[in-house]
Amino acid sequence: MHKTDILIVGSGIAGLISAIKAKLSGANVAIAAKGIATKSNSVMAQGGINAALGNIDADSIELHIKDTLKSAHNLADEKMVSKLCRGGIEAIEFLEKLGVPFSRIEGADTPLKSIAQRALGGASAKRACYAQDYTGLKIVHTLLDSAINLNIPIFEGLFLLKLLKNSQNEVCGGLFFNFDSGEIEPIYAGKTVIATGGFGAIYSKNTNSATSTGDGVAAIVRAGGELSNMEFVQFHPTTLKGSNILISESARGEGGYLINGKGKRFIDELSTRDIISKAIFEQLQSGERVFLDLRHIGKEKLERLMPQELKLIKQYAATDACKESVEIEPAVHYTMGGASVNENFEVKGLKGCWCIGEAANANVHGANRLGGNSLLEAASFGLLAADEVLNAAPSKIEEQKINYSLPIEKGSDNFKIYKAKNRLGKLLFDKAGIVRDEKNLLQALKEIKELNIQNLKIDDAPKHSTLLIELLELQNASLLADAIVKSALWRKETRGAHIRSDYPQESREFERDSKIEIYDII
Amino acid sequence: MKINIADKSYKIEKAVATLLEALIYIKENIEPNLGFDYGCKSGVCGACSVRVNGKEKLACSYKPKEEDTIEPLKYYPQKRDLIVDKSSQKELIKRVKAHIINYKEETLSPQDELKTQIQSDCILCSSCYSACPVIEINPQFAGPFALTKSYKYTIDNREANQKEHIDAIQNSGVWDCTLCNECTLACPQGIDPKSDIVSLRNISAKHGYTDPNFNTMNFGGGFGFDPNGGF
């Protein structure tokens, strides 16, 4: 059994950077994660991390704030957005000093001025710092190297089941299923930070790591924390048709065109993702096919700036993007909603528990996140949250009797898990997808209930059982699916990524966050 | 199509583009308890590395063929079926000091970016490690990915303490490699650890280190011939 001052759950960029910052400040910190750090969804981020360095175009923090607020459709908190954008420069400096191999420009006179920046949708300047199109991968691996060097314990194979609370109702750690021992074990902590990522992988067509099932978000709402803006699910416009492999926004940032089957462009490619995804959806609905055309950019430039994209397109679409356009479709990419946090990143409704990265709704993305702002949020708020956590008073650690039974029963039908998982993913995509309406959402709600996922059981030895992990993830998925659909039903308007065909206008009445508490769901 | 995993043959009754799709098919239709790992499905998280007919592959990018035999990676303790315990990766990263030891403020150029661009494409899938024949004889050997990581930081202009990196890779490090090239062939990212190891030997020489095999493998003539060293 472990005890630590600060427990960070999740080992993506937010969790790692926060742990490093806390450790460098002298704190006793440990990371617990369900998988190895290099498997986190952060490694899949390609395009870049925003910071108004102005290395290519004239840029300013004020412009970055303005762009972010505009894309958020009046749902972001200006103070938090300002904090985010201001924190960007400090975050880049922190990463630069740890050795992140950013792409560079010629002739700079300071380290920060040498970092290359590219255009992404909705940005009024080239603002996304990048490392070719492997930005997330290279940040994660550099952070992991540092965390290892600093002797930060990283406990892998620990699946968060629930948050632990003391007699004052403060969070004092988490209860985990240990994949390697098959046992349930607590980790007690004075301060608990949730950095477990988003829940895009619960949709059938998504660009996320299979691990993005919102386990931390589900644990937070079960413990009485508040969730908000769960209906705001971002669709990425350009994923390979069929496989839904992500083709980064940098492809459009560097000048790529979107064309339909007639070879006609139909949208400004540098609009925000909500607008482009909807435009593509309409093309698809009208029977058109949609393609990403990179040919005019030129082979040399493509190979230098987007080696990963070329490789992915070749491997998964058997297409040479230098010579042919490639067929695409939108898929779920990011969840703007999550655990509501206050300006110190503490979860609303809980004490002693903070939330950072995609798991949180820190009111910076509102109804639609800008490309390059997710890595920024993970890094910038990861660093800032570490300071807040360090300064906060710890919860009293009270060891307790563990009362938790795993969903295992001899003779259970194991195949049911996959049937339910696939059905849930598909019904979310079809009925709570790019365009929603009341009829479909109500139907989705009914079908989620009928799947009866919370009562499913498996027949397997718990030790090293991926089947058990998948069932635990599915339980979280079903809880969050319910929250998404209920939030989408509540928001009777169209705003950003939430598009209601039965309420096609933005409404002043809904210029506020949707909120979900445990008693609203299930 | 049939594929084999641990003496068991599985019939895949569906067209699959990748081995990962075949494994998921088996799990959902035949053997739900089958153990295998994956994450990104797009070749960037390294979790799904396995051996196919004795060669390391990422399940998410390999297209399976009739009667392929799938095994877990070598040298790592097996957890269940194709899942192995890769936690020793962290010990190796620690041992070779793969991080900036003393940061110095340095303005990098596009040429500097190119020097470590390929090395930093590493996804830590451990294909190179599993393919390395030296580990079989010397389990203490740091192995390809750790040495490539070491090289990346060693030659970074932001590193003010190159010597400490070099000191850390002398024992069971750069000189134990036979330069057989298996790691380079196995890497799904096109990284060439063998060449990084050669470069690290050159840098080691600049810091006063010599190939220890010159001393131990004396072929009697007074000058050493190193059958393993071969530049």
Side-chain angles (χ1 to χ4, degrees):
Chain A
M1 193 248 303
H2 302 290
K3 262 188 203 173
T4 179
D5 293 343
I6 301 174
L7 170 66
I8 295 179
V9 187
S11 58
I13 290 176
L16 284 169
I17 204 167
S18 209
I20 290 169
K21 182 78 195 290
K23 182 78 181 186
L24 288 172
S25 309
N28 173 16
V29 56
I31 295 174
K34 70 173 169 178
I36 56 178
T38 49
K39 204 175 119 175
S40 67
N41 195 45
S42 298
V43 302
M44 297 185 72
Q46 300 170 352
I49 169 167
N50 286 339
L53 299 173
N55 292 350
I56 313 287
D57 303 335
D59 198 6
S60 67
I61 288 171
E62 287 67 34
L63 265 181
H64 188 183
I65 294 170
K66 201 174 143 209
D67 291 342
T68 304
L69 287 173
K70 186 174 172 214
S71 175
H73 294 265
N74 292 332
L75 276 192
D77 177 323
E78 196 166 343
K79 247 169 84 182
M80 292 303 275
V81 171
S82 169
K83 204 184 251 207
L84 176 80
C85 299
R86 279 171 214 289
I89 293 166
E90 188 200 337
I92 297 293
E93 198 170 3
F94 190 88
L95 295 171
E96 169 72 9
K97 287 183 176 170
L98 290 182
V100 171
F102 286 113
S103 291
R104 305 286 166 171
I105 53 171
E106 296 279 6
D109 52 8
T110 67
L112 286 197
K113 285 279 159 205
S114 74
I115 296 172
Q117 296 187 284
R118 64 166 45 120
L120 293 178
S124 50
K126 289 186 174 173
R127 186 179 291 140
C129 305
Y130 60 93
Q132 304 89 43
D133 51 3
Y134 279 119
T135 315
L137 174 82
K138 296 191 181 189
I139 293 176
V140 167
H141 283 247
T142 308
L143 290 172
L144 178 63
D145 292 344
S146 286
I148 291 169
N149 166 51
L150 291 167
N151 296 317
I152 297 171
I154 305 177
F155 301 115
E156 287 160 355
L158 292 187
F159 187 99
L160 179 65
L161 297 167
K162 60 182 273 197
L163 295 170
L164 296 170
K165 285 186 172 181
N166 64 19
S167 51
Q168 275 88 53
N169 206 28
E170 297 164 330
V171 174
C172 63
L175 187 67
F176 295 86
F177 166 68
N178 186 328
F179 180 74
D180 290 331
S181 66
E183 307 281 330
I184 290 170
E185 62 182 60
I187 299 183
Y188 292 101
K191 302 161 186 183
T192 304
V193 181
I194 301 299
T196 46
F199 41 92
I202 73 175
Y203 276 75
S204 58
K205 285 173 176 284
N206 71 79
T207 65
N208 289 179
S209 167
T211 59
S212 291
T213 49
D215 310 316
V217 182
I220 282 173
V221 74
R222 285 197 183 102
E226 178 192 289
L227 307 185
S228 51
N229 290 351
M230 295 294 285
E231 68 277 29
F232 290 107
V233 175
Q234 180 170 73
F235 283 71
H236 197 291
T238 55
T239 81
L240 296 181
K241 188 174 160 57
S243 65
N244 297 121
I245 302 280
L246 175 68
I247 301 303
S248 162
E249 190 155 307
S250 52
R252 281 174 288 122
E254 303 290 357
Y257 295 147
L258 291 170
I259 53 173
N260 62 19
K262 299 184 183 80
K264 209 172 150 243
R265 286 172 71 191
F266 55 87
I267 183 80
D268 170 10
E269 287 84 357
L270 283 177
S271 305
T272 50
R273 292 172 182 172
D274 50 344
I275 293 169
I276 298 181
S277 288
K278 181 164 182 272
I280 295 175
F281 180 79
E282 284 163 359
Q283 290 283 325
L284 297 175
Q285 289 293 95
S286 74
E288 277 291 350
R289 292 159 72 195
V290 178
F291 299 84
L292 176 66
D293 190 353
L294 304 175
R295 291 173 293 182
H296 55 285
I297 298 174
K299 192 170 171 192
E300 185 278 326
K301 197 172 168 192
L302 288 171
E303 281 176 348
R304 181 163 44 87
L305 296 170
M306 288 176 270
Q308 183 180 197
E309 312 309 339
L310 290 186
K311 186 177 165 183
L312 292 173
I313 292 169
K314 188 159 185 241
Q315 201 150 38
Y316 295 97
T319 302
D320 179 352
C322 303
K323 292 184 182 149
E324 288 171 86
S325 56
V326 55
E327 188 162 8
I328 52 104
E329 63 182 352
V332 169
H333 183 59
Y334 188 87
T335 45
M336 270 77 75
S340 308
V341 295
N342 65 20
E343 59 181 36
N344 305 324
F345 311 102
E346 199 164 9
V347 176
K348 290 182 185 170
L350 296 178
K351 275 234 167 296
C353 181
W354 291 258
C355 187
I356 48 176
E358 193 177 343
N361 173 23
N363 281 106
V364 288
H365 308 306
N368 178 60
R369 175 178 68 77
L370 279 184
N373 270 0
S374 58
L375 289 187
L376 170 63
E377 183 188 5
S380 165
F381 283 179
L383 288 173
L384 293 172
D387 289 335
E388 299 289 351
V389 172
L390 286 165
N391 291 332
S395 307
K396 191 169 170 230
I397 292 175
E398 288 168 12
E399 288 178 28
Q400 47 206 264
K401 209 169 153 238
I402 301 305
N403 183 15
Y404 192 99
S405 55
L406 291 167
I408 296 180
E409 200 172 274
K410 269 252 163 290
S412 302
D413 179 0
N414 288 338
F415 292 109
K416 265 191 177 168
I417 308 300
Y418 299 108
K419 285 191 192 106
K421 184 179 171 175
N422 292 335
R423 267 196 65 192
L424 180 70
K426 193 167 179 322
L427 81 87
L428 277 174
F429 193 88
D430 292 343
K431 301 191 169 73
I434 300 183
V435 176
R436 297 120 182 226
D437 61 43
E438 187 165 288
K439 186 171 157 249
N440 274 304
L441 288 168
L442 285 172
Q443 180 64 24
L445 209 55
K446 186 168 156 266
E447 287 181 32
I448 293 168
K449 206 170 172 197
E450 283 166 4
L451 288 173
N452 195 20
I453 286 167
Q454 305 304 333
N455 293 321
L456 288 180
K457 296 208 166 36
I458 54 142
D459 182 357
D460 194 12
K463 186 177 170 177
H464 297 150
S465 173
T466 50
L467 183 63
L468 176 57
I469 297 288
E470 284 181 273
L471 175 53
L472 295 170
E473 288 175 341
L474 186 59
Q475 291 180 339
N476 291 338
S478 135
L479 187 81
L480 298 175
D482 194 77
I484 291 169
V485 174
K486 282 180 178 155
S487 304
L489 273 167
W490 175 82
R491 189 171 292 282
K492 293 184 171 60
E493 64 159 353
T494 288
R495 186 183 295 268
H498 174 72
I499 301 165
R500 286 278 302 253
S501 58
D502 46 354
Y503 297 94
Q505 304 299 325
E506 225 169 80
S507 152
R508 283 297 297 269
E509 190 197 336
F510 289 100
E511 208 169 283
R512 56 198 167 109
D513 294 341
S514 65
K515 287 178 184 172
I516 285 278
E517 287 162 346
I518 188 66
Y519 43 79
D520 296 327
I521 43 182
I522 299 300
Chain B
M1 182 178 54
K2 273 186 190 155
I3 63 170
N4 307 305
I5 305 169
D7 303 329
K8 258 180 130 171
S9 180
Y10 296 96
K11 197 170 173 198
I12 317 293
E13 294 178 276
K14 177 192 165 191
V16 290
T18 65
L19 174 58
L20 179 59
E21 283 179 30
L23 295 174
I24 291 172
Y25 175 88
I26 295 171
K27 208 170 159 60
E28 293 187 357
N29 297 283
I30 308 169
E31 179 69 68
N33 306 26
L34 183 72
F36 60 94
D37 199 6
Y38 72 101
C40 73
K41 302 154 280 173
S42 57
V44 75
C45 81
C48 68
S49 49
V50 291
R51 283 186 306 145
V52 181
N53 308 325
K55 296 284 177 202
E56 286 70 19
K57 301 284 173 198
L58 295 180
C60 71
S61 52
Y62 174 79
K63 187 165 171 47
K65 293 185 212 37
E66 191 64 44
E67 291 294 345
D68 273 342
T69 297
I70 321 298
E71 296 167 288
L73 291 187
K74 272 166 84 174
Y75 310 131
Y76 291 111
Q78 187 183 20
K79 288 185 180 179
R80 185 192 283 199
D81 302 318
L82 300 172
I83 305 175
V84 294
D85 179 358
K86 292 181 183 168
S87 58
S88 62
Q89 288 176 330
K90 295 206 285 286
E91 291 154 30
L92 292 176
I93 290 169
K94 174 87 187 160
R95 198 179 95 200
V96 304
K97 301 195 176 177
H99 62 96
I100 297 272
I101 297 169
N102 293 335
Y103 171 79
K104 94 175 152 193
E105 196 169 298
E106 190 74 37
T107 302
L108 303 185
S109 69
Q111 291 72 41
D112 296 323
E113 173 198 344
L114 275 179
K115 285 199 304 187
T116 60
Q117 181 182 328
I118 297 289
Q119 288 79 1
S120 56
D121 286 348
C122 174
I123 57 172
L124 220 54
C125 65
S126 273
S127 291
C128 59
Y129 189 85
S130 172
C132 175
V134 178
I135 315 283
E136 186 111 49
I137 302 152
N138 177 12
Q140 290 305 306
F141 178 45
F145 72 76
L147 291 169
T148 278
K149 267 183 175 282
S150 158
Y151 176 68
K152 184 182 69 161
Y153 288 103
T154 300
I155 62 158
D156 195 310
N157 290 359
R158 290 170 288 187
E159 177 58 87
N161 190 354
Q162 192 180 68
K163 172 101 179 15
E164 202 171 322
H165 285 285
I166 294 298
D167 291 346
I169 52 163
Q170 297 305 310
N171 293 328
S172 292
V174 281
W175 306 106
D176 289 46
C177 171
T178 63
L179 307 183
C180 73
N181 210 39
E182 289 294 336
C183 53
T184 302
L185 293 174
C187 179
Q189 288 289 76
I191 302 168
D192 184 358
K194 183 193 74 173
S195 142
D196 296 337
I197 291 169
V198 171
S199 302
L200 283 171
R201 287 182 179 181
N202 291 335
I203 303 169
S204 296
K206 284 184 199 150
H207 286 277
Y209 286 105
T210 51
D211 187 342
N213 301 313
F214 274 113
N215 306 326
T216 54
M217 293 218 174
N218 193 321
F219 282 71
F223 68 93
F225 168 67
D226 174 19
N228 297 321
F231 283 83

